[in-house]
Amino acid sequence: MPLILFNKPYGVLTQFTGGPGERTLAEFIDVPAVYPAGRLDKDSEGLLVLTDDGRLQAQISSPRFKQPKTYLVQVEGVPSEAALAQLRSGVELRDGMTRPAKARQIEPPQLWERDPPVRFRKSVPDSWIELIITEGRNRQVRRMTAAVGLPTLRLVRWAVGSWTLDGIAPGTWREAGQARS
């Protein structure tokens, strides 16, 4: 049963096929019969777990199992304690209230350069938040930060449960401890 931890680069679709000129998982992973457990948007980066085990795939991606997912989020602005408290208690979105999240402001993490880089504006400060959620609605983290007045500039999923990106460079993956490209 392969279990693959992949560091998905910005601009890559979370699927093995795509339209002309679209980057997909097939460019990076040549392992038969594995599928992503959950999704990451094309404009998000970070940990993607792939497996050939349907039950495990459901346990990772289904909100009913409440698998924590940790995101490092660069936002426009500086979070107030009130904004962080709102994220912690749940945010009202168009599709309903989110579950409470763990949220805290963090120092800028030591990450790889993004290609293309995040736009920089001298007049608007940016900061980083660590956000841990137990759901996985469409573009949920981006919608949550926007709802509290902190638009997302960069979104990196760092962990799914106990699996992390530690030691996995963008565009590479590992199974049982070895990084591959």
Side-chain angles (χ1 to χ4, degrees):
M1 170 189 89
L3 181 74
I4 293 173
L5 306 178
F6 174 58
N7 188 344
K8 185 190 93 58
Y10 179 89
V12 175
L13 295 175
T14 307
Q15 56 197 43
F16 283 92
T17 59
E22 289 183 311
R23 297 180 76 194
T24 69
L25 298 177
E27 180 181 331
F28 303 94
I29 301 169
D30 185 20
V31 177
V34 294
Y35 300 95
R39 301 188 69 77
L40 270 179
D41 297 325
K42 184 177 178 179
D43 53 356
S44 297
E45 308 163 72
L47 183 61
L48 189 61
V49 179
L50 297 97
T51 181
D52 64 350
D53 181 334
R55 287 175 71 193
L56 179 59
Q57 194 175 18
Q59 287 177 347
I60 294 167
S61 59
S62 174
R64 84 170 184 260
F65 292 102
K66 299 181 181 173
Q67 183 76 257
K69 295 164 187 78
T70 304
Y71 295 87
L72 307 180
V73 190
Q74 184 180 20
V75 295
E76 193 172 273
V78 178
S80 65
E81 187 50 45
L84 292 172
Q86 197 174 354
L87 292 168
R88 290 181 197 123
S89 62
V91 177
E92 183 69 40
L93 302 176
R94 271 184 268 145
D95 55 350
M97 195 74 168
T98 66
R99 287 184 184 150
K102 292 182 181 175
R104 66 185 179 108
Q105 186 173 355
I106 59 172
E107 291 298 316
Q110 295 295 314
L111 296 173
W112 53 91
E113 292 295 319
R114 194 184 85 176
D115 182 23
V118 173
R119 64 181 161 78
F120 175 74
R121 297 188 341 198
K122 286 184 188 176
S123 62
V124 181
D126 63 71
S127 54
W128 285 85
I129 296 172
E130 178 188 71
L131 193 63
I132 303 173
I133 63 173
T134 57
E135 323 175 77
R137 298 184 202 181
N138 186 38
R139 300 181 71 81
Q140 180 175 344
V141 170
R142 292 176 188 282
R143 294 188 299 140
M144 288 176 73
T145 62
V148 299
L150 299 165
T152 294
L153 299 172
R154 185 175 182 190
L155 180 60
V156 178
R157 182 161 56 199
W158 184 258
V160 174
S162 62
W163 297 303
T164 73
L165 272 183
D166 199 30
I168 307 172
T172 66
W173 58 273
R174 78 168 180 227
E175 177 188 6
Q178 294 297 337
R180 302 180 189 191
S181 56

